[in-house]
């Protein structure tokens, strides 16, 4: 008798996108082909070490934070240019740490960001509508890593911010905005003039 294997895991938000959001967006945006519908390609979470570039304990805290909130091992980013006034040499100084998320991990992280982390921000009125670039990608800065519930009290003793970039495959800003609104990103209300 053949053994049934467990169904492959798929993130909750990915299932929601494939089954409900994608067909609705195709109809709403008037797109002929399903492949024209905007979608999340990857999420890049990065932390710049700035003036702490030579501090190994600060680097360790940043790496630990990114590992806990993303579930992936971060990669060091090295300087590309030499800048004498900042004592930086090309390819020798760690100036930041980043993680690139794709697939189910990307959807899981986005789901936790929207439903758990962002509501914990004080005086939160939605994320800015001005953070889209010309291609329709969205960048979000987080001033304090303590909004992520995965971190313990010891993990937030050294406070640092992080940059979250949502890379979207879309025809432009309007399509990206429609997708992010459907996925649950709390965009601030547009002011009527």
């Amino acid at each position: 008798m053949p053994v049934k294997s467990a169904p492959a895991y798929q993130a909750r938000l990915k299932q929601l996108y494939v089954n409900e959001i994608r067909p609705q967006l195709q109809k709403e945006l008037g797109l002929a082909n399903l492949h024209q519908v905007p979608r999340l390609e990857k999420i890049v979470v990065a932390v710049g070490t700035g003036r702490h570039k030579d501090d190994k304990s600060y680097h360790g805290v940043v790496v630990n934070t990114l590992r806990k909130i993303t579930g992936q091992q971060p990669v060091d980013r090295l300087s590309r240019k030499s800048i004498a006034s900042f004592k930086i040499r090309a390819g020798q100084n760690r100036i930041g740490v980043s993680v690139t998320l794709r697939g189910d991990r990307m959807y899981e992280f986005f789901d936790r960001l929207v439903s758990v982390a962002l509501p914990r921000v004080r005086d939160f009125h939605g994320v800015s509508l001005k953070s889209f670039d010309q291609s329709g990608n969205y960048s979000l800065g987080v001033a304090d890593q303590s909004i992520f519930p995965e971190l313990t009290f010891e993990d937030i003793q050294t406070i640092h911010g992080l940059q979250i970039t949502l890379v979207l495959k879309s025809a432009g800003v309007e399509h990206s905005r429609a997708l992010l609104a459907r996925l649950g990103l709390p965009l601030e209300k547009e002011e009527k003039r």
Side-chain angles (χ1 to χ4, degrees):
M1 186 168 167
V3 178
K4 288 186 179 180
S5 62
Y9 172 77
Q10 195 174 36
R12 180 190 74 84
L13 195 61
K14 186 175 183 180
Q15 288 176 344
L16 184 69
Y17 172 74
V18 170
N19 298 333
E20 294 177 25
I21 296 172
R22 189 168 60 179
Q24 290 171 356
L25 276 176
Q26 182 181 7
K27 189 176 182 181
E28 179 184 312
L29 299 173
L31 302 172
N33 192 332
L34 194 64
H35 297 291
Q36 293 175 316
V37 177
R39 63 180 165 90
L40 266 173
E41 250 183 21
K42 63 183 175 181
I43 296 178
V44 180
V45 184
V47 177
T49 52
R51 66 176 148 249
H52 303 286
K53 66 179 171 36
D54 297 324
D55 187 356
K56 290 184 179 177
S57 64
Y58 184 83
H59 181 263
V61 167
V62 169
V63 168
N64 186 39
T65 299
L66 284 183
R67 186 183 307 122
K68 283 189 175 182
I69 65 173
T70 62
Q72 263 182 225
Q73 179 64 28
V75 176
D76 288 336
R77 295 291 169 202
L78 302 176
S79 57
R80 293 182 188 167
K81 293 182 178 179
S82 295
I83 305 171
S85 59
F86 293 119
K87 298 179 183 172
I88 293 176
R89 287 190 165 174
Q92 292 185 0
N93 294 92
R94 289 188 299 222
I95 57 170
V97 179
S98 73
V99 174
T100 303
L101 301 169
R102 289 184 170 87
D104 286 326
R105 276 207 180 126
M106 171 186 68
Y107 282 102
E108 288 289 339
F109 176 78
F110 186 80
D111 197 8
R112 281 184 283 122
L113 175 72
V114 169
S115 57
V116 179
L118 287 179
R120 294 177 67 171
V121 175
R122 283 189 183 170
D123 299 328
F124 184 67
H125 301 292
V127 295
S128 175
L129 291 172
K130 298 176 182 173
S131 298
F132 286 98
D133 66 7
Q134 295 170 345
S135 303
N137 302 323
Y138 189 81
S139 294
L140 169 70
V142 176
D144 185 1
Q145 83 273 25
S146 65
I147 64 169
F148 291 97
E150 298 89 356
L151 302 175
T152 62
F153 180 72
E154 290 79 29
D155 296 330
I156 58 175
Q157 291 301 308
T158 306
I159 294 175
H160 62 83
L162 40 106
Q163 180 74 26
I164 301 169
T165 304
L166 308 172
V167 179
L168 297 125
K169 183 169 179 139
S170 69
V173 176
E174 292 304 317
H175 287 209
S176 295
R177 188 182 299 175
L179 171 66
L180 291 179
R182 285 289 173 96
L183 287 175
L185 188 68
L187 298 167
E188 66 185 2
K189 304 285 186 270
E190 288 187 64
E191 293 180 17
K192 294 180 180 175
R193 294 180 185 179

